Amino acid sequence: WRRRLRIHGLDLRHSPSVELFCRYLAGTEVSLDALNDRAAFTSTWLDFFERYDLLLTPAMQLTAFEVGAYSPARIGDYEVNPFWDDWCSFCLPANLTGMPATVIPCGLDETGLPVGLQLQGRRFEDALVLGAAAAAEAVLPPLPLPAA
């Protein structure tokens, strides 16, 4: 799988969570290793949620990028690897651990693009995550509708 991704210019040497995900999809022997790695990753997050009820982060490291682009070329002053791990890593913990997460709009950037707030909670506490999201939406000012 690495060779196939490299053919498309994707280098995963600096992307451990994507490598974990790809190994999970690869084959039986490798999948068992990946499942073990995933369990360790999940355990770390379970430990985090022993201390905290919720984790609030930006939904993404950036706002929307150009129509037709598969990934952003840059985030601020930093070049971005074209693979998704580099520009949406805030989503990975929920995706890999099965912990509930949701995103709500919370504002606009300087160009008028929406910014999202992600709320993540411990396993099986979906109601807490959704309740916190509803409470946050109730106190945040509504965003203007985009021009047609």
Side-chain angles (χ1 to χ4, degrees):
W1 55 267
R2 285 182 192 205
R3 184 180 59 76
R4 281 181 277 171
L5 291 175
R6 268 190 241 117
I7 289 170
H8 297 287
L10 302 174
D11 181 2
L12 299 182
R13 287 177 293 186
H14 304 292
S15 185
S17 54
V18 172
E19 182 168 289
L20 169 65
F21 182 72
C22 290
R23 284 183 18 206
Y24 176 74
L25 298 176
T28 305
E29 183 178 336
V30 174
S31 288
L32 293 175
D33 290 340
L35 287 172
N36 188 44
D37 292 345
R38 181 180 178 200
F41 184 75
T42 300
S43 179
T44 300
W45 281 102
L46 292 173
D47 291 344
F48 174 86
F49 283 112
E50 286 297 316
R51 291 189 60 196
Y52 303 99
D53 294 325
L54 295 166
L55 173 65
L56 281 63
T57 64
M60 303 293 274
Q61 288 90 320
L62 71 162
T63 53
F65 43 86
E66 305 80 38
V67 172
Y70 291 106
S71 66
R74 304 184 72 74
I75 298 177
D77 295 333
Y78 300 96
E79 288 187 30
V80 175
N81 184 312
F83 205 66
W84 58 273
D85 182 47
D86 283 353
W87 57 271
C88 64
S89 60
F90 292 133
C91 303
L92 289 175
N95 290 339
L96 289 174
T97 64
M99 295 183 187
T102 190
V103 173
I104 61 170
C106 66
L108 302 173
D109 73 0
E110 62 279 354
T111 65
L113 291 171
V115 175
L117 171 67
Q118 177 179 252
L119 298 90
Q120 182 180 335
R122 63 179 63 94
R123 275 184 150 173
F124 311 114
E125 292 197 12
D126 303 54
L128 175 67
V129 172
L130 294 173
E137 281 187 311
V139 298
L140 290 170
L143 299 182
L145 295 174

PDB file of all heavy atoms in Angstrom, residues 68-94:
ATOM      1  N   GLY A  68     -12.701  22.314  -6.135  1.00  0.00           N
ATOM      2  CA  GLY A  68     -11.994  21.420  -7.035  1.00  0.00           C
ATOM      3  C   GLY A  68     -10.688  20.895  -6.479  1.00  0.00           C
ATOM      4  O   GLY A  68     -10.135  19.934  -7.008  1.00  0.00           O
ATOM      5  N   ALA A  69     -10.177  21.478  -5.420  1.00  0.00           N
ATOM      6  CA  ALA A  69      -8.940  20.988  -4.800  1.00  0.00           C
ATOM      7  C   ALA A  69      -9.275  19.837  -3.862  1.00  0.00           C
ATOM      8  O   ALA A  69     -10.305  19.849  -3.191  1.00  0.00           O
ATOM      9  CB  ALA A  69      -8.258  22.108  -4.029  1.00  0.00           C
ATOM     10  N   TYR A  70      -8.412  18.823  -3.840  1.00  0.00           N
ATOM     11  CA  TYR A  70      -8.612  17.682  -2.942  1.00  0.00           C
ATOM     12  C   TYR A  70      -8.056  17.940  -1.554  1.00  0.00           C
ATOM     13  O   TYR A  70      -8.448  17.291  -0.593  1.00  0.00           O
ATOM     14  CB  TYR A  70      -7.975  16.425  -3.529  1.00  0.00           C
ATOM     15  CG  TYR A  70      -8.701  15.937  -4.756  1.00  0.00           C
ATOM     16  CD1 TYR A  70      -8.152  16.113  -6.016  1.00  0.00           C
ATOM     17  CD2 TYR A  70      -9.942  15.331  -4.652  1.00  0.00           C
ATOM     18  CE1 TYR A  70      -8.813  15.687  -7.148  1.00  0.00           C
ATOM     19  CE2 TYR A  70     -10.621  14.896  -5.769  1.00  0.00           C
ATOM     20  CZ  TYR A  70     -10.045  15.071  -7.016  1.00  0.00           C
ATOM     21  OH  TYR A  70     -10.721  14.647  -8.123  1.00  0.00           O
ATOM     22  N   SER A  71      -7.140  18.872  -1.458  1.00  0.00           N
ATOM     23  CA  SER A  71      -6.572  19.255  -0.170  1.00  0.00           C
ATOM     24  C   SER A  71      -5.967  20.643  -0.330  1.00  0.00           C
ATOM     25  O   SER A  71      -5.690  21.082  -1.438  1.00  0.00           O
ATOM     26  CB  SER A  71      -5.500  18.248   0.271  1.00  0.00           C
ATOM     27  OG  SER A  71      -4.393  18.290  -0.582  1.00  0.00           O
ATOM     28  N   PRO A  72      -5.758  21.330   0.777  1.00  0.00           N
ATOM     29  CA  PRO A  72      -5.144  22.655   0.676  1.00  0.00           C
ATOM     30  C   PRO A  72      -3.650  22.536   0.390  1.00  0.00           C
ATOM     31  O   PRO A  72      -3.011  21.563   0.786  1.00  0.00           O
ATOM     32  CB  PRO A  72      -5.382  23.247   2.071  1.00  0.00           C
ATOM     33  CG  PRO A  72      -5.425  22.057   2.967  1.00  0.00           C
ATOM     34  CD  PRO A  72      -6.070  20.965   2.159  1.00  0.00           C
ATOM     35  N   ALA A  73      -3.097  23.506  -0.275  1.00  0.00           N
ATOM     36  CA  ALA A  73      -1.657  23.526  -0.532  1.00  0.00           C
ATOM     37  C   ALA A  73      -0.898  24.045   0.689  1.00  0.00           C
ATOM     38  O   ALA A  73       0.220  23.629   0.953  1.00  0.00           O
ATOM     39  CB  ALA A  73      -1.353  24.399  -1.746  1.00  0.00           C
ATOM     40  N   ARG A  74      -1.536  24.952   1.436  1.00  0.00           N
ATOM     41  CA  ARG A  74      -0.894  25.572   2.595  1.00  0.00           C
ATOM     42  C   ARG A  74      -1.932  25.807   3.689  1.00  0.00           C
ATOM     43  O   ARG A  74      -3.097  25.997   3.406  1.00  0.00           O
ATOM     44  CB  ARG A  74      -0.290  26.922   2.216  1.00  0.00           C
ATOM     45  CG  ARG A  74       0.705  26.881   1.073  1.00  0.00           C
ATOM     46  CD  ARG A  74       1.338  28.237   0.803  1.00  0.00           C
ATOM     47  NE  ARG A  74       2.284  28.648   1.818  1.00  0.00           N
ATOM     48  CZ  ARG A  74       3.499  28.126   1.965  1.00  0.00           C
ATOM     49  NH1 ARG A  74       3.901  27.166   1.176  1.00  0.00           N
ATOM     50  NH2 ARG A  74       4.321  28.566   2.889  1.00  0.00           N
ATOM     51  N   ILE A  75      -1.458  25.820   4.904  1.00  0.00           N
ATOM     52  CA  ILE A  75      -2.231  26.318   6.039  1.00  0.00           C
ATOM     53  C   ILE A  75      -1.366  27.407   6.647  1.00  0.00           C
ATOM     54  O   ILE A  75      -0.302  27.129   7.197  1.00  0.00           O
ATOM     55  CB  ILE A  75      -2.546  25.222   7.071  1.00  0.00           C
ATOM     56  CG1 ILE A  75      -3.409  24.120   6.454  1.00  0.00           C
ATOM     57  CG2 ILE A  75      -3.248  25.827   8.291  1.00  0.00           C
ATOM     58  CD1 ILE A  75      -3.699  22.960   7.402  1.00  0.00           C
ATOM     59  N   GLY A  76      -1.792  28.630   6.481  1.00  0.00           N
ATOM     60  CA  GLY A  76      -0.971  29.756   6.924  1.00  0.00           C
ATOM     61  C   GLY A  76       0.346  29.761   6.171  1.00  0.00           C
ATOM     62  O   GLY A  76       0.380  29.751   4.950  1.00  0.00           O
ATOM     63  N   ASP A  77       1.441  29.711   6.898  1.00  0.00           N
ATOM     64  CA  ASP A  77       2.776  29.729   6.293  1.00  0.00           C
ATOM     65  C   ASP A  77       3.343  28.337   6.051  1.00  0.00           C
ATOM     66  O   ASP A  77       4.493  28.197   5.645  1.00  0.00           O
ATOM     67  CB  ASP A  77       3.750  30.506   7.197  1.00  0.00           C
ATOM     68  CG  ASP A  77       3.381  31.975   7.296  1.00  0.00           C
ATOM     69  OD1 ASP A  77       2.757  32.490   6.345  1.00  0.00           O
ATOM     70  OD2 ASP A  77       3.707  32.597   8.323  1.00  0.00           O
ATOM     71  N   TYR A  78       2.568  27.301   6.311  1.00  0.00           N
ATOM     72  CA  TYR A  78       3.087  25.937   6.236  1.00  0.00           C
ATOM     73  C   TYR A  78       2.543  25.184   5.027  1.00  0.00           C
ATOM     74  O   TYR A  78       1.338  25.186   4.766  1.00  0.00           O
ATOM     75  CB  TYR A  78       2.728  25.165   7.509  1.00  0.00           C
ATOM     76  CG  TYR A  78       3.298  25.805   8.742  1.00  0.00           C
ATOM     77  CD1 TYR A  78       2.531  26.670   9.519  1.00  0.00           C
ATOM     78  CD2 TYR A  78       4.617  25.578   9.125  1.00  0.00           C
ATOM     79  CE1 TYR A  78       3.050  27.283  10.645  1.00  0.00           C
ATOM     80  CE2 TYR A  78       5.151  26.184  10.245  1.00  0.00           C
ATOM     81  CZ  TYR A  78       4.363  27.028  10.998  1.00  0.00           C
ATOM     82  OH  TYR A  78       4.878  27.629  12.106  1.00  0.00           O
ATOM     83  N   GLU A  79       3.450  24.517   4.304  1.00  0.00           N
ATOM     84  CA  GLU A  79       3.028  23.654   3.209  1.00  0.00           C
ATOM     85  C   GLU A  79       2.354  22.419   3.787  1.00  0.00           C
ATOM     86  O   GLU A  79       2.716  21.949   4.857  1.00  0.00           O
ATOM     87  CB  GLU A  79       4.233  23.238   2.363  1.00  0.00           C
ATOM     88  CG  GLU A  79       4.783  24.356   1.525  1.00  0.00           C
ATOM     89  CD  GLU A  79       5.859  23.881   0.565  1.00  0.00           C
ATOM     90  OE1 GLU A  79       5.813  22.716   0.133  1.00  0.00           O
ATOM     91  OE2 GLU A  79       6.742  24.689   0.277  1.00  0.00           O
ATOM     92  N   VAL A  80       1.374  21.910   3.057  1.00  0.00           N
ATOM     93  CA  VAL A  80       0.595  20.775   3.526  1.00  0.00           C
ATOM     94  C   VAL A  80       0.830  19.580   2.618  1.00  0.00           C
ATOM     95  O   VAL A  80       0.754  19.702   1.397  1.00  0.00           O
ATOM     96  CB  VAL A  80      -0.914  21.127   3.548  1.00  0.00           C
ATOM     97  CG1 VAL A  80      -1.752  19.932   3.913  1.00  0.00           C
ATOM     98  CG2 VAL A  80      -1.168  22.275   4.509  1.00  0.00           C
ATOM     99  N   ASN A  81       1.104  18.432   3.224  1.00  0.00           N
ATOM    100  CA  ASN A  81       1.154  17.181   2.481  1.00  0.00           C
ATOM    101  C   ASN A  81      -0.237  16.961   1.897  1.00  0.00           C
ATOM    102  O   ASN A  81      -1.234  17.181   2.591  1.00  0.00           O
ATOM    103  CB  ASN A  81       1.530  16.045   3.440  1.00  0.00           C
ATOM    104  CG  ASN A  81       1.705  14.718   2.759  1.00  0.00           C
ATOM    105  OD1 ASN A  81       0.869  14.288   1.961  1.00  0.00           O
ATOM    106  ND2 ASN A  81       2.787  14.044   3.087  1.00  0.00           N
ATOM    107  N   PRO A  82      -0.359  16.529   0.646  1.00  0.00           N
ATOM    108  CA  PRO A  82      -1.689  16.420   0.044  1.00  0.00           C
ATOM    109  C   PRO A  82      -2.574  15.344   0.648  1.00  0.00           C
ATOM    110  O   PRO A  82      -3.750  15.264   0.325  1.00  0.00           O
ATOM    111  CB  PRO A  82      -1.392  16.113  -1.428  1.00  0.00           C
ATOM    112  CG  PRO A  82      -0.020  15.585  -1.454  1.00  0.00           C
ATOM    113  CD  PRO A  82       0.705  16.200  -0.300  1.00  0.00           C
ATOM    114  N   PHE A  83      -2.061  14.516   1.541  1.00  0.00           N
ATOM    115  CA  PHE A  83      -2.910  13.493   2.142  1.00  0.00           C
ATOM    116  C   PHE A  83      -3.697  14.102   3.297  1.00  0.00           C
ATOM    117  O   PHE A  83      -3.221  14.975   3.995  1.00  0.00           O
ATOM    118  CB  PHE A  83      -2.059  12.306   2.599  1.00  0.00           C
ATOM    119  CG  PHE A  83      -2.839  11.032   2.662  1.00  0.00           C
ATOM    120  CD1 PHE A  83      -3.333  10.464   1.512  1.00  0.00           C
ATOM    121  CD2 PHE A  83      -3.086  10.423   3.866  1.00  0.00           C
ATOM    122  CE1 PHE A  83      -4.055   9.297   1.554  1.00  0.00           C
ATOM    123  CE2 PHE A  83      -3.796   9.254   3.929  1.00  0.00           C
ATOM    124  CZ  PHE A  83      -4.281   8.685   2.766  1.00  0.00           C
ATOM    125  N   TRP A  84      -4.895  13.654   3.539  1.00  0.00           N
ATOM    126  CA  TRP A  84      -5.838  14.284   4.471  1.00  0.00           C
ATOM    127  C   TRP A  84      -5.370  14.374   5.905  1.00  0.00           C
ATOM    128  O   TRP A  84      -5.790  15.233   6.647  1.00  0.00           O
ATOM    129  CB  TRP A  84      -7.197  13.618   4.400  1.00  0.00           C
ATOM    130  CG  TRP A  84      -7.200  12.143   4.689  1.00  0.00           C
ATOM    131  CD1 TRP A  84      -6.988  11.140   3.792  1.00  0.00           C
ATOM    132  CD2 TRP A  84      -7.418  11.508   5.941  1.00  0.00           C
ATOM    133  NE1 TRP A  84      -7.045   9.929   4.410  1.00  0.00           N
ATOM    134  CE2 TRP A  84      -7.327  10.122   5.734  1.00  0.00           C
ATOM    135  CE3 TRP A  84      -7.697  11.981   7.226  1.00  0.00           C
ATOM    136  CZ2 TRP A  84      -7.487   9.203   6.745  1.00  0.00           C
ATOM    137  CZ3 TRP A  84      -7.867  11.050   8.233  1.00  0.00           C
ATOM    138  CH2 TRP A  84      -7.767   9.681   7.993  1.00  0.00           C
ATOM    139  N   ASP A  85      -4.493  13.533   6.360  1.00  0.00           N
ATOM    140  CA  ASP A  85      -4.060  13.550   7.748  1.00  0.00           C
ATOM    141  C   ASP A  85      -3.449  14.876   8.156  1.00  0.00           C
ATOM    142  O   ASP A  85      -3.600  15.315   9.290  1.00  0.00           O
ATOM    143  CB  ASP A  85      -3.061  12.423   7.964  1.00  0.00           C
ATOM    144  CG  ASP A  85      -2.592  12.329   9.388  1.00  0.00           C
ATOM    145  OD1 ASP A  85      -3.428  12.376  10.308  1.00  0.00           O
ATOM    146  OD2 ASP A  85      -1.382  12.210   9.587  1.00  0.00           O
ATOM    147  N   ASP A  86      -2.753  15.521   7.251  1.00  0.00           N
ATOM    148  CA  ASP A  86      -2.078  16.770   7.591  1.00  0.00           C
ATOM    149  C   ASP A  86      -3.032  17.944   7.792  1.00  0.00           C
ATOM    150  O   ASP A  86      -2.661  18.920   8.415  1.00  0.00           O
ATOM    151  CB  ASP A  86      -1.069  17.150   6.506  1.00  0.00           C
ATOM    152  CG  ASP A  86       0.209  16.341   6.593  1.00  0.00           C
ATOM    153  OD1 ASP A  86       0.379  15.587   7.565  1.00  0.00           O
ATOM    154  OD2 ASP A  86       1.039  16.473   5.689  1.00  0.00           O
ATOM    155  N   TRP A  87      -4.222  17.877   7.255  1.00  0.00           N
ATOM    156  CA  TRP A  87      -5.086  19.053   7.364  1.00  0.00           C
ATOM    157  C   TRP A  87      -6.409  18.783   8.072  1.00  0.00           C
ATOM    158  O   TRP A  87      -7.235  19.686   8.193  1.00  0.00           O
ATOM    159  CB  TRP A  87      -5.316  19.694   6.001  1.00  0.00           C
ATOM    160  CG  TRP A  87      -5.898  18.795   4.960  1.00  0.00           C
ATOM    161  CD1 TRP A  87      -5.220  17.987   4.099  1.00  0.00           C
ATOM    162  CD2 TRP A  87      -7.276  18.629   4.653  1.00  0.00           C
ATOM    163  NE1 TRP A  87      -6.087  17.315   3.285  1.00  0.00           N
ATOM    164  CE2 TRP A  87      -7.368  17.699   3.599  1.00  0.00           C
ATOM    165  CE3 TRP A  87      -8.453  19.170   5.161  1.00  0.00           C
ATOM    166  CZ2 TRP A  87      -8.572  17.295   3.049  1.00  0.00           C
ATOM    167  CZ3 TRP A  87      -9.661  18.774   4.607  1.00  0.00           C
ATOM    168  CH2 TRP A  87      -9.706  17.851   3.571  1.00  0.00           C
ATOM    169  N   CYS A  88      -6.617  17.583   8.572  1.00  0.00           N
ATOM    170  CA  CYS A  88      -7.847  17.349   9.351  1.00  0.00           C
ATOM    171  C   CYS A  88      -7.582  16.422  10.532  1.00  0.00           C
ATOM    172  O   CYS A  88      -8.411  15.594  10.870  1.00  0.00           O
ATOM    173  CB  CYS A  88      -8.971  16.841   8.467  1.00  0.00           C
ATOM    174  SG  CYS A  88      -8.660  15.252   7.713  1.00  0.00           S
ATOM    175  N   SER A  89      -6.450  16.598  11.167  1.00  0.00           N
ATOM    176  CA  SER A  89      -6.079  15.696  12.262  1.00  0.00           C
ATOM    177  C   SER A  89      -6.950  15.852  13.501  1.00  0.00           C
ATOM    178  O   SER A  89      -6.985  14.955  14.330  1.00  0.00           O
ATOM    179  CB  SER A  89      -4.610  15.877  12.621  1.00  0.00           C
ATOM    180  OG  SER A  89      -4.359  17.196  13.028  1.00  0.00           O
ATOM    181  N   PHE A  90      -7.681  16.948  13.632  1.00  0.00           N
ATOM    182  CA  PHE A  90      -8.586  17.074  14.776  1.00  0.00           C
ATOM    183  C   PHE A  90      -9.701  16.035  14.719  1.00  0.00           C
ATOM    184  O   PHE A  90     -10.287  15.687  15.743  1.00  0.00           O
ATOM    185  CB  PHE A  90      -9.207  18.477  14.842  1.00  0.00           C
ATOM    186  CG  PHE A  90      -8.224  19.570  15.182  1.00  0.00           C
ATOM    187  CD1 PHE A  90      -8.202  20.734  14.462  1.00  0.00           C
ATOM    188  CD2 PHE A  90      -7.333  19.429  16.230  1.00  0.00           C
ATOM    189  CE1 PHE A  90      -7.314  21.748  14.772  1.00  0.00           C
ATOM    190  CE2 PHE A  90      -6.436  20.431  16.552  1.00  0.00           C
ATOM    191  CZ  PHE A  90      -6.427  21.597  15.815  1.00  0.00           C
ATOM    192  N   CYS A  91     -10.016  15.542  13.532  1.00  0.00           N
ATOM    193  CA  CYS A  91     -11.083  14.540  13.370  1.00  0.00           C
ATOM    194  C   CYS A  91     -10.630  13.128  13.710  1.00  0.00           C
ATOM    195  O   CYS A  91     -11.450  12.259  14.009  1.00  0.00           O
ATOM    196  CB  CYS A  91     -11.594  14.534  11.931  1.00  0.00           C
ATOM    197  SG  CYS A  91     -12.185  16.106  11.349  1.00  0.00           S
ATOM    198  N   LEU A  92      -9.338  12.870  13.627  1.00  0.00           N
ATOM    199  CA  LEU A  92      -8.837  11.499  13.745  1.00  0.00           C
ATOM    200  C   LEU A  92      -9.138  10.815  15.071  1.00  0.00           C
ATOM    201  O   LEU A  92      -9.501   9.636  15.067  1.00  0.00           O
ATOM    202  CB  LEU A  92      -7.341  11.460  13.457  1.00  0.00           C
ATOM    203  CG  LEU A  92      -6.985  11.697  12.000  1.00  0.00           C
ATOM    204  CD1 LEU A  92      -5.475  11.756  11.829  1.00  0.00           C
ATOM    205  CD2 LEU A  92      -7.578  10.642  11.107  1.00  0.00           C
ATOM    206  N   PRO A  93      -8.996  11.458  16.218  1.00  0.00           N
ATOM    207  CA  PRO A  93      -9.274  10.715  17.453  1.00  0.00           C
ATOM    208  C   PRO A  93     -10.678  10.109  17.479  1.00  0.00           C
ATOM    209  O   PRO A  93     -10.837   8.936  17.814  1.00  0.00           O
ATOM    210  CB  PRO A  93      -9.098  11.770  18.554  1.00  0.00           C
ATOM    211  CG  PRO A  93      -8.102  12.714  17.976  1.00  0.00           C
ATOM    212  CD  PRO A  93      -8.449  12.791  16.504  1.00  0.00           C
ATOM    213  N   ALA A  94     -11.682  10.871  17.110  1.00  0.00           N
ATOM    214  CA  ALA A  94     -13.039  10.325  17.110  1.00  0.00           C
ATOM    215  C   ALA A  94     -13.187   9.225  16.068  1.00  0.00           C
ATOM    216  O   ALA A  94     -13.806   8.193  16.326  1.00  0.00           O
ATOM    217  CB  ALA A  94     -14.054  11.435  16.854  1.00  0.00           C
TER     218      ALA A  94
END
